[in-house]
Amino acid sequence: MMRILAMLLLLGSVAAQAVIETYEFSSPELEERYQQLSAELRCPTCQNQTIADSNSLISQDLRKLLYEQLEAGKSDDEILAYLVERYGEFVRYRPDYDGATRILWLAPVGLLLLGVLIVFFVMRGRRPEAAGEENVLDTAQQERLDELLKQAEQDK
């Protein structure tokens, strides 16, 4: 039993070492850009994980590609444009503001304004003077009400 447990621990440690990647950057600025870009790019096959967080094969390939392009002297915009062309806008956590993504950027503001308008109209309808204006009786109705109240008192 101890041998099996030791074998499982050994295999687990080998697997854990397999996902750790280290790259030797030519400058600390490139390493910082690598960290920023890998945290901004979404893993194409994972659920809500960046390529920095994911252990999938495609994320490993994207990290390697990112490293190679940074070392080749590409700018952040060139790298992002290449990846967007290859995988679509989905690969970015913060997509550009263009016609296709405009509704995604403006929807929260629109929903907030709609909520404010709904609250405004609901609160306006609950004001006492608004409700009182609807219950005002004309003189004929007031005279009829007075007659009914007098008749009710006499019937007691």
Side-chain angles (χ1 to χ4, degrees):
M1 182 68 177
M2 291 299 282
R3 285 185 177 180
I4 294 173
L5 183 61
M7 291 291 287
L8 289 175
L9 287 174
L10 181 64
L11 288 174
S13 67
V14 170
Q17 289 177 352
V19 296
I20 297 172
E21 298 169 342
T22 57
Y23 296 111
E24 294 291 328
F25 290 93
S26 58
S27 70
E29 292 84 22
L30 285 182
E31 186 172 358
E32 184 177 331
R33 286 176 52 204
Y34 172 83
Q35 297 297 333
Q36 289 175 346
L37 286 172
S38 64
E40 184 178 328
L41 294 170
R42 182 190 314 259
C43 171
T45 59
C46 307
Q47 292 284 327
N48 283 333
Q49 284 187 320
T50 64
I51 63 169
D53 298 334
S54 174
N55 292 327
S56 69
L57 291 176
I58 193 163
S59 290
Q60 292 173 12
D61 289 343
L62 287 174
R63 286 192 297 264
K64 182 178 179 187
L65 177 73
L66 183 61
Y67 167 74
E68 291 171 352
Q69 290 199 354
L70 283 170
E71 287 294 330
K74 301 272 177 119
S75 70
D76 292 356
D77 290 337
E78 290 173 329
I79 295 170
L80 290 174
Y82 173 77
L83 291 173
V84 167
E85 181 181 319
R86 189 168 178 185
Y87 296 102
E89 198 68 39
F90 174 79
V91 79
R92 299 184 67 180
Y93 263 110
R94 291 179 292 154
D96 281 336
Y97 183 81
D98 62 3
T101 60
R102 185 171 294 148
I103 193 162
L104 293 174
W105 287 105
L106 296 178
V109 174
L111 290 174
L112 179 67
L113 290 175
L114 180 65
V116 168
L117 285 174
I118 288 172
V119 168
F120 173 75
F121 284 116
V122 166
M123 296 304 289
R124 184 175 176 208
R126 289 186 174 187
R127 288 189 342 207
E129 59 268 8
E133 291 175 6
E134 294 176 7
N135 295 331
V136 173
L137 302 175
D138 61 13
T139 52
Q141 292 172 333
Q142 187 64 42
E143 288 174 2
R144 177 75 179 135
L145 178 62
D146 291 340
E147 285 177 25
L148 289 173
L149 288 173
K150 282 181 186 175
Q151 187 176 12
E153 285 182 21
Q154 290 174 357
D155 290 343
K156 284 184 181 178

